[in-house]
């Protein structure tokens, strides 16, 4: 409904209507006389006409007779005339509405806007008229089709049933006098069939005794109108029951969804938990793979020095043997050195293998034990980067945890601190691990975490590193391990020199050798 013609002799009112409707995106043409309106209608097509009935050169109602189809060109009458008979006659022609111009004219404009919006957005709701009078059927179609209703007709009850089985209707308009069955019997048959139980039914009858009205309403009709009826009242009732049917349908669907959700709540919760568990497993695997790469780099660092020493010892052994200067004592010393290097390499492999070994059960441990494993894995790497590494231990307390997971968390924090110290080119870099009973504090002097990202660092896939150097999962998975897997607490704060990560674990009260 884009093209609208406003026919109003008052330029003030005409311009006011144009201004309001233009703001809503409509194309507005203006006519101030009957002659101007006729000229517009011979050259252009309009979806809607807003019509004043009394114009300087004639009556606006003359135009309605010239409009071939009020279904295609809809009409809203805007007038100061209070003539009730004229009003009813115009509704029989199929006008959308009859709005009185009075002192509260802004309200009248808001009514026009509301009607346009309703007609523009209304679906083609289907209505079945069951009446043996062709005149009545045609009259109802004339009144309702301009309002975007799709009106079907049936002159017999049998025909009506056939149509109801093939099509879905939003409303039935039923006459009491049918050629093949009385309307009341037809009404009873409709309400016995579950398919038609919820469709609103308006009954039309030439007789309106209290007994008839009572029987009609008690047998399933939603409303009753006595013929001849006021067409404006008829239209209002149709609009009302169509809207009611839609809301009832929406409510029924909402109730069905609610019942389905309630009936399946346990399953839905289980499915959602499973989705989250699988997502966490994927993230955990991604984080684990990233750490495996870092571990391999650490192994390379750990092995480089002993391998070089072993190569040197082998060369010395070969040279002495070639020059016939190798005696038993020297051979024994070189052999012992080689054996020590081999043992060191073996212990290194065991440390890394234990780190990646999956644990099915929690075990009793403490932070001092965790740090022994961590130190064996990272000390050489930190020494290579000239990072001072120190531990301060005060009365470590026992707790239950997946030990390898906890080692992974501490390694991840130390690795992040190491990267920050190198990236920020800290002059005297250091990492301090402080145990205080059941808490571990990992402190660096790399400058701290900027305040604008401090709340984001525990989010999945958030990283301050380049894509090549970081996955953004380390701290997220660390918090998951500490808080969800072990029931602890994981937090961070800035100190004067850098960042301090704090891991707190619930103290274990049971036997030292217990497992869970």
């Amino acid at each position: 409904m884009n093209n609208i013609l406003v026919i109003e002799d008052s330029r003030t009112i005409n311009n006011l209507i144009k201004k309001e409707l233009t703001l809503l995106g409509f194309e507005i043409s203006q006519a101030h006389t009957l002659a101007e309106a006729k000229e517009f209608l011979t050259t252009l097509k309009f979806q809607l006409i807003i019509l004043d009935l009394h114009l300087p050169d004639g009556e606006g109602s003359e135009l309605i007779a010239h409009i071939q189809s009020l279904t295609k060109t809809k009409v809203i009458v805007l007038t100061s005339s209070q003539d009730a008979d004229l009003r009813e006659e115009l509704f029989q022609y199929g006008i959308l509405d009859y709005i009185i111009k009075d002192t509260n004219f802004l309200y009248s404009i808001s009514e026009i806007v509301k009607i346009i919006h309703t007609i523009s957005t209304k679906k083609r709701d289907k209505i079945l008229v069951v009446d043996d009078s062709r005149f009545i059927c045609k009259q109802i179609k004339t009144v309702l089709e301009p309002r975007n209703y799709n009106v079907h007709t049936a002159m017999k009850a049998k025909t009506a049933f056939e149509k109801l089985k093939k099509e879905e209707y939003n409303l039935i308009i039923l006459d009491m006098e049918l050629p093949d069955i009385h309307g009341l019997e037809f009404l009873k048959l409709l309400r016995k069939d579950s398919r038609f139980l919820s469709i609103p039914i308006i009954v039309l009858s030439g007789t309106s005794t209290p007994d008839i009205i009572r029987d009609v309403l008690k047998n399933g009709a939603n409303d009753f109108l006595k013929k001849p009826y006021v067409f404006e009242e008829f239209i209002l009732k149709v609009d009302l029951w169509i809207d009611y049917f839609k809301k009832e349908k929406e409510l029924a669907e909402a109730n069905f969804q609610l019942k389905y959700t309630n009936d399946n709540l346990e399953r839905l919760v289980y499915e959602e938990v499973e989705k989250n568990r699988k997502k966490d497993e994927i993230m955990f695997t991604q984080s684990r793979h990233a750490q495996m790469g870092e571990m391999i780099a650490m192994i390379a660092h750990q092995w480089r020095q002993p391998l070089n020493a072993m190569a040197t010892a082998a060369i010395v052994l070969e040279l002495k043997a070639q020059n016939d200067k190798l005696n038993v004592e020297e051979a024994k010393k070189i052999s012992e050195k080689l054996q020590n290097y081999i043992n060191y390499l073996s212990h290194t492999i065991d440390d890394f293998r234990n780190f990646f070994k999956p644990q099915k059960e929690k075990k009793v441990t403490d932070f001092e034990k965790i740090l022994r494993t961590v130190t064996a894995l990272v000390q050489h790497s930190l020494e290579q980067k000239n990072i001072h590494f120190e531990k301060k231990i005060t009365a470590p307390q026992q707790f239950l945890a997946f030990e390898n997971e906890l080692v992974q968390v501490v390694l991840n924090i130390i690795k992040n601190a190491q990267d920050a110290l190198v990236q920020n080119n800290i002059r005297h870099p250091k990492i301090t691990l402080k145990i205080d009973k059941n808490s571990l504090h990992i402190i660096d002097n790399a400058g701290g975490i900027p305040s604008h990202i401090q709340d984001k660092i525990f989010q999945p896939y958030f990283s301050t590193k380049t894509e090549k150097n970081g996955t953004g999962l380390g701290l997220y998975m660390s918090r998951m391990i500490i808080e969800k897997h072990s029931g602890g607490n994981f937090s961070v704060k800035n100190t004067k020199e850098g960042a301090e990560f704090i891991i707190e674990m619930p103290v274990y009260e049971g036997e030292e050798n217990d497992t869970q």
Side-chain angles (χ1 to χ4, degrees):
M1 193 175 291
N2 291 323
N3 294 332
I4 298 176
L5 175 60
V6 180
I7 307 170
E8 166 64 56
D9 62 332
S10 167
R11 294 185 180 275
T12 301
I13 293 175
N14 204 319
N15 289 335
L16 190 56
I17 294 172
K18 179 180 179 178
K19 180 183 175 183
E20 292 296 319
L21 296 182
T22 303
L23 289 173
L24 296 173
F26 296 108
E27 293 289 332
I28 308 298
S29 299
Q30 293 175 282
H32 303 91
T33 64
L34 192 62
E36 286 179 7
K38 287 179 178 179
E39 188 176 343
F40 269 117
L41 291 171
T42 56
T43 56
L44 296 173
K45 290 184 178 179
F46 297 93
Q47 282 84 44
L48 175 68
I49 296 173
I50 298 172
L51 176 64
D52 181 18
L53 290 181
H54 302 299
L55 298 168
D57 54 345
E59 292 300 308
S61 56
E62 292 179 26
L63 290 174
I64 296 176
H66 292 292
I67 297 170
Q68 293 182 349
S69 171
L70 288 187
T71 303
K72 292 180 180 178
T73 303
K74 305 177 191 302
V75 175
I76 296 174
V77 170
L78 180 65
T79 181
S80 55
S81 174
Q82 299 277 1
D83 189 330
D85 292 335
L86 176 61
R87 180 175 184 145
E88 179 65 5
E89 184 181 352
L90 290 173
F91 269 108
Q92 291 183 49
Y93 270 104
I95 65 167
L96 290 184
D97 212 337
Y98 189 102
I99 297 174
I100 303 295
K101 288 189 286 185
D102 56 18
T103 53
N104 191 5
F105 184 66
L106 289 177
Y107 177 76
S108 300
I109 293 180
S110 71
E111 283 294 296
I112 293 172
V113 171
K114 186 167 73 174
I115 294 163
I116 293 172
H117 175 74
T118 301
I119 297 300
S120 299
T121 56
K122 184 188 283 290
K123 293 181 180 178
R124 294 277 286 166
D125 297 311
K126 289 182 183 177
I127 297 174
L128 178 62
V129 180
V130 187
D131 197 307
D132 63 342
S133 167
R134 293 183 186 276
F135 174 76
I136 293 292
C137 289
K138 184 178 179 181
Q139 197 174 50
I140 291 174
K141 284 172 74 74
T142 300
V143 170
L144 295 183
E145 286 185 340
R147 308 181 75 80
N148 281 5
Y149 288 121
N150 188 354
V151 181
H152 295 194
T153 59
M155 303 186 74
K156 293 182 179 180
K158 181 182 177 183
T159 310
F161 266 120
E162 289 171 355
K163 292 196 173 191
L164 283 164
K165 289 173 183 177
K166 292 178 183 178
E167 302 269 3
E168 287 188 10
Y169 290 95
N170 301 79
L171 177 69
I172 298 172
I173 297 170
L174 173 63
D175 182 34
M176 281 287 95
E177 304 299 328
L178 299 175
D180 53 346
I181 189 175
H182 191 270
L184 188 59
E185 295 305 313
F186 180 64
L187 177 63
K188 292 177 182 178
L189 291 173
L190 280 176
R191 289 316 192 199
K192 284 180 181 178
D193 194 321
S194 59
R195 292 172 295 177
F196 316 128
L197 199 59
S198 61
I199 304 175
I201 300 174
I202 298 176
V203 167
L204 306 179
S205 175
T207 309
S208 62
T209 64
D211 288 345
I212 290 175
I213 295 172
R214 180 196 63 215
D215 288 343
V216 163
L217 295 177
K218 290 190 77 171
N219 282 284
N222 297 84
D223 215 328
F224 181 92
L225 277 175
K226 181 183 181 303
K227 296 178 183 177
Y229 43 79
V230 176
F231 274 87
E232 189 171 6
E233 180 187 358
F234 171 72
I235 291 167
L236 289 171
K237 285 182 180 287
V238 168
D239 289 343
L240 172 70
W241 287 113
I242 290 281
D243 289 341
Y244 170 82
F245 178 69
K246 286 181 181 176
K247 286 182 172 61
E248 279 286 296
K249 207 170 182 180
E250 289 170 5
L251 182 61
E253 289 173 2
N255 285 335
F256 174 80
Q257 288 296 331
L258 183 61
K259 185 177 184 305
Y260 174 82
T261 302
N262 286 335
D263 292 345
N264 295 274
L265 187 59
E266 187 175 344
R267 180 181 60 80
L268 292 170
V269 169
Y270 174 78
E271 288 175 358
E272 199 60 35
V273 168
E274 276 297 295
K275 284 180 189 175
N276 289 332
R277 186 184 64 78
K278 287 177 181 176
K279 181 186 75 174
D280 289 343
E281 283 180 359
I282 291 168
M283 288 184 174
F284 189 82
T285 303
Q286 289 175 324
S287 176
R288 200 74 160 166
H289 286 168
Q291 281 213 316
M292 284 178 73
E294 293 169 3
M295 289 294 164
I296 291 168
M298 288 181 185
I299 290 175
H301 280 296
Q302 300 274 73
W303 278 21
R304 187 168 288 117
Q305 186 178 348
L307 285 172
N308 288 337
M310 289 173 72
T312 302
I315 292 169
V316 169
L317 189 65
E318 184 180 356
L319 287 173
K320 284 184 178 291
Q322 286 175 355
N323 296 325
D324 201 23
K325 292 181 179 180
L326 185 65
N327 56 47
V328 175
E329 285 299 318
E330 284 184 307
K332 189 177 179 181
K333 284 181 182 179
I334 293 172
S335 176
E336 286 177 355
K337 279 185 180 181
L338 288 171
Q339 188 60 49
N340 288 336
Y341 291 139
I342 289 168
N343 289 338
Y344 175 80
L345 295 177
S346 178
H347 287 313
T348 304
I349 284 294
D350 287 341
D351 287 338
F352 285 102
R353 185 184 63 190
N354 289 334
F355 172 74
F356 286 110
K357 189 185 294 182
Q359 287 181 294
K360 293 183 180 179
E361 294 180 337
K362 290 181 181 179
K363 61 187 293 187
V364 179
T365 187
D366 59 58
F367 280 122
E368 188 173 17
K369 189 176 179 183
I370 298 295
L371 289 196
R372 281 200 294 271
T373 305
V374 169
T375 302
L377 294 171
V378 301
Q379 190 159 8
H380 183 74
S381 175
L382 295 173
E383 287 172 357
Q384 290 285 315
K385 292 177 173 57
N386 296 316
I387 297 172
H388 179 65
F389 184 62
E390 65 176 352
K391 294 177 282 185
K392 297 178 181 179
I393 301 172
T394 304
Q397 292 179 315
Q398 292 182 328
F399 50 81
L400 279 172
F402 296 105
E403 202 170 69
N404 287 352
E405 288 189 0
L406 207 51
V407 169
Q408 177 184 344
V409 171
V410 178
L411 280 172
N412 182 68
I413 299 168
I414 292 173
K415 179 67 170 58
N416 286 347
Q418 174 186 296
D419 292 344
L421 289 164
V422 172
Q423 182 180 331
N424 296 337
N425 198 23
I426 301 301
R427 195 168 185 181
H428 301 292
K430 68 176 180 179
I431 297 175
T432 303
L433 274 64
K434 185 170 71 174
I435 297 172
D436 184 12
K437 296 179 181 178
N438 64 323
S439 66
L440 173 64
H441 302 250
I442 305 168
I443 309 162
D444 63 58
N445 64 337
I449 301 166
S451 57
H452 68 279
I453 65 166
Q454 199 161 339
D455 293 336
K456 299 178 182 177
I457 62 172
F458 294 110
Q459 294 176 5
Y461 301 111
F462 177 83
S463 178
T464 57
K465 303 175 185 178
T466 62
E467 188 175 336
K468 184 178 178 182
N469 296 323
T471 64
L473 288 171
L475 289 176
Y476 171 75
M477 291 309 305
S478 295
R479 174 167 273 185
M480 292 277 290
I481 289 167
I482 297 299
E483 298 187 352
K484 289 196 174 181
H485 293 196
S486 302
N489 187 58
F490 186 37
S491 60
V492 64
K493 65 180 181 180
N494 283 330
T495 65
K496 290 181 180 179
E497 295 184 307
E500 179 178 356
F501 285 86
I502 304 162
I503 302 170
E504 298 172 284
M505 300 294 289
V507 177
Y508 178 62
E509 305 289 349
E511 295 292 327
E512 185 173 346
N513 295 324
D514 284 356
T515 59
Q516 179 173 302

